[in-house]
Each structure stands twice: as structure tokens, then as C-alpha cells.
Amino acid sequence: MSDQKAAVMEMAATVSSAASKTTYAGAASGFVAYLASIDVLAWLGIAIALGGFAVNWYYKRLENKRADEIHKLKVEQWEKYYDVKQD
């Protein structure tokens, strides 16, 4: 795997991790603001949680695509190396 692809995969994992933490923080702050009857902060917390969820979903989807591509390449390599054909 090239250095560029490794860097992109590492960046995607980092962004995904940050998005997860942002989602949890937004949800928690929204819940606390709701309990404290601060409507503006409750809605802001919900918006942050939804934004974090969307970013996390996007980068997880990219990560899954890359994993599928890598799997297909490995299967092709194995088929060539072992001279095996699937039914």
C-alpha cells in the first residue's frame, strides 16, 4: 500500500474518531441543557450530535469501501498465486 493511501486511511480513522467523540459530547450537552431547561443549548447540542453522526457515517462508509477494495485485491492475488477459481 502506498504512503499516500496509508495517510488517507489514518486521517479517515482520526476524523471518524473525533466525530464519534463530538457526537457523544453534543448529545450529552444537549441532554444536560434539556434538563436545565435551556432550550437554545439543548437544540445546539442536538445539532452538534447530528453533525457528528453525519461526519462519522460518511467516514465509516469510506473506510468500508476501502476495506472492500483491499479485500478484492487480496482475493485476486490469492487466486493468481494459488491458481484457484471460485464457482
Side-chain angles (χ1 to χ4, degrees):
M1 189 174 350
S2 71
D3 291 337
Q4 183 180 8
K5 284 188 180 181
V8 168
M9 289 179 69
E10 184 177 335
M11 187 265 316
T14 302
V15 170
S16 180
S17 174
S20 288
K21 292 174 186 170
T22 302
T23 300
Y24 296 137
S29 64
F31 183 69
V32 169
Y34 171 75
L35 291 178
S37 296
I38 305 172
D39 291 336
V40 174
L41 291 180
W43 286 111
L44 182 63
I46 291 169
I48 290 171
L50 290 175
F53 175 77
V55 170
N56 194 23
W57 174 79
Y58 175 77
Y59 279 99
K60 286 291 184 182
R61 197 175 115 235
L62 287 179
E63 186 177 329
N64 288 339
K65 269 187 184 179
R66 287 188 195 101
D68 287 342
E69 290 174 5
I70 290 170
H71 174 71
K72 286 178 184 178
L73 289 172
K74 284 185 179 181
V75 167
E76 286 178 11
Q77 287 176 345
W78 292 334
E79 286 176 349
K80 288 178 185 176
Y81 182 75
Y82 292 110
D83 196 27
V84 175
K85 294 183 182 179
Q86 282 185 325
D87 293 332

